[in-house]
Amino acid sequence: MAFFGAQPTSPADIELIDPPPDSISSISFSPTADFLAVGSWDNNVRVYEIDTNGRSQGKAMYSHEGPVLDDGTKVFSGGADKAARMYDLQTGASQQVGAHDAPIKCVRWIETGGGILITGSWDKTVKYWNTSTVSPTPMGTLQLPERVYAMDVAQLLLVVATAERQICTINLAQPDTIYKKIDSPLKWQTRTIACFPAGDGYAVGSVEGRVAIQYIEDKDSSNNFSFKCHRKDAANSKDGTSVYSVNAISFHIQHGTFSTSGSDGVVYFWDKDSKTRLKTFDAAPGPITCTAFNRTGTIFAYAVSYDWSKGHTGMTPGHVNKVMLHPLKDEEIKRKPKK
């Protein structure tokens, strides 16, 4: 299935000041304050303050990668050093709050019980850490079938995509048990996954330019579908099409619509309920590696950076590294009436 809808437009986007000098691996807005954390392959996390007009100012930097903001005063991150860290924006102090036996691929934070950090690793586990009373021992550990590639959380839903195209859903009311395990509805390796804001399903993207919309409960399975995206006509390819990886999916909390971004340097906005493409961004001068909506749903951030899809040979001198801030208009992100 392919979506049709809005025509390409040229948004008046604002570039983040002093971006990382190396590939950008993750970006995350605070859920309660106007901060944006940016993780990079240069092993640093940078935190910026963003005003309502999209202007940015550097706030802090510490050594690590893969950030997630909690209550606006602390940043949590996990990286290839196998450690999870917490950085306090008020005091400037950094401390280790968790560890795995292999690199930490994903981190998520939930407010339950004073704050719990969830970490997913290539050691085939998810661990839960109490962030109010830091301890070297996790609150719980969940064994997974394979290495963690992508992870997200919304409401009581935790969804983890692993190697070998496995997808595990966990009800956080019972965090030590896998609620459901399925093979990905997509035939190729999972690249990204994101929960619906309502916590009743998720969108998953693969390296083969395709996205699947998947509901958790069997009673909603008639609403499951997949569609092609991030593809271009190419006369010199075998089937006349160049296919690009879907690198990131982000949901707009207020409207429930979502974005996809890819190695083709393009961002799309979609409405899954009406199966409509809402907006197409002009192609950026490089792959889009990660994206995020801010807490009020008024700013959309996206990173233009090398995504290593072509290996070391694709990392050419002068490759662009920047984060763009797109001021959102209701008409480009609101749901459309079902046809």
Side-chain angles (χ1 to χ4, degrees):
M1 173 183 290
F3 285 3
F4 301 90
Q7 296 299 311
T9 59
S10 299
D13 296 350
I14 302 167
E15 188 170 345
L16 193 72
I17 62 167
D18 298 326
D22 205 344
S23 291
I24 298 164
S25 54
S26 56
I27 57 177
S28 178
F29 277 105
S30 166
T32 58
D34 297 319
F35 295 129
L36 175 68
V38 180
S40 169
W41 281 50
D42 73 349
N43 299 329
N44 289 311
V45 173
R46 292 166 174 80
V47 182
Y48 303 84
E49 189 167 7
I50 312 294
D51 69 16
T52 54
N53 296 315
R55 291 187 294 264
S56 58
Q57 177 180 346
K59 181 75 173 177
M61 183 175 76
Y62 69 101
S63 296
H64 211 15
E65 62 178 35
V68 57
L69 282 155
D70 73 340
D71 57 4
T73 62
K74 296 181 177 66
V75 184
F76 294 96
S77 54
D81 57 2
K82 309 175 188 177
R85 303 187 189 280
M86 176 175 67
Y87 181 85
D88 192 316
L89 289 170
Q90 293 179 325
T91 66
S94 175
Q95 67 180 119
Q96 184 170 332
V97 294
H100 280 263
D101 295 329
I104 297 173
K105 181 62 172 67
C106 310
V107 292
R108 292 292 184 271
W109 185 87
I110 58 175
E111 295 184 25
T112 304
I116 296 174
L117 179 67
I118 306 173
T119 55
S121 169
W122 290 349
D123 67 5
K124 304 181 184 180
T125 68
V126 161
K127 294 184 179 182
Y128 307 94
W129 308 90
N130 188 333
T131 60
S132 58
T133 58
V134 176
S135 168
T137 304
M139 300 171 62
T141 300
L142 180 63
Q143 297 293 327
L144 297 170
E146 257 295 348
R147 293 156 291 160
V148 174
Y149 279 0
M151 181 175 78
D152 199 22
V153 64
Q155 308 293 338
L156 289 176
L157 173 65
L158 171 65
V159 60
V160 184
T162 74
E164 304 300 331
R165 298 177 41 255
Q166 298 290 298
I167 298 178
C168 300
T169 53
I170 297 98
N171 182 342
L172 288 174
Q174 298 178 305
D176 56 351
T177 304
I178 295 176
Y179 176 70
K180 186 176 289 188
K181 182 177 70 174
I182 67 168
D183 290 336
S184 170
L186 305 178
K187 295 180 180 179
W188 297 88
Q189 178 182 306
T190 302
R191 180 72 170 162
T192 183
I193 202 161
C195 295
F196 303 163
D200 56 349
Y202 54 87
V204 56
S206 76
V207 298
E208 186 237 353
R210 197 181 290 265
V211 169
I213 299 298
Q214 193 78 14
Y215 285 82
I216 302 301
E217 302 300 338
D218 292 341
K219 64 181 178 62
D220 299 319
S221 62
S222 61
N223 295 320
N224 296 341
F225 67 96
S226 64
F227 62 95
K228 298 176 183 178
C229 53
H230 299 284
R231 298 174 177 223
K232 294 179 181 178
D233 293 336
N236 59 348
S237 66
K238 185 177 180 180
D239 60 357
T241 304
S242 292
V243 179
Y244 298 86
S245 171
V246 180
N247 288 335
I249 299 173
S250 297
F251 275 88
H252 191 283
I253 296 176
Q254 288 81 2
H255 295 310
T257 49
F258 67 100
S259 66
T260 65
S261 66
S263 294
D264 56 350
V266 177
V267 173
Y268 298 106
F269 289 166
W270 309 92
D271 179 357
K272 66 178 176 59
D273 297 325
S274 64
K275 298 182 179 179
T276 303
R277 186 174 68 214
L278 302 174
K279 180 181 178 66
T280 303
F281 283 60
D282 290 338
I288 309 295
T289 54
C290 43
T291 58
F293 291 98
N294 72 338
R295 62 193 172 107
T296 57
T298 55
I299 296 175
F300 174 73
Y302 59 98
V304 184
S305 185
Y306 182 50
D307 60 0
W308 295 91
S309 58
K310 296 181 180 178
H312 189 268
T313 57
M315 188 56 177
T316 56
H319 206 291
V320 63
N321 285 298
K322 61 182 180 178
V323 177
M324 302 301 295
L325 304 173
H326 175 77
L328 288 164
K329 299 177 181 178
D330 269 357
E331 58 265 27
E332 64 187 9
I333 196 62
K334 284 183 69 174
R335 291 177 176 173
K336 300 295 184 184
K338 289 185 179 181
K339 297 178 181 179

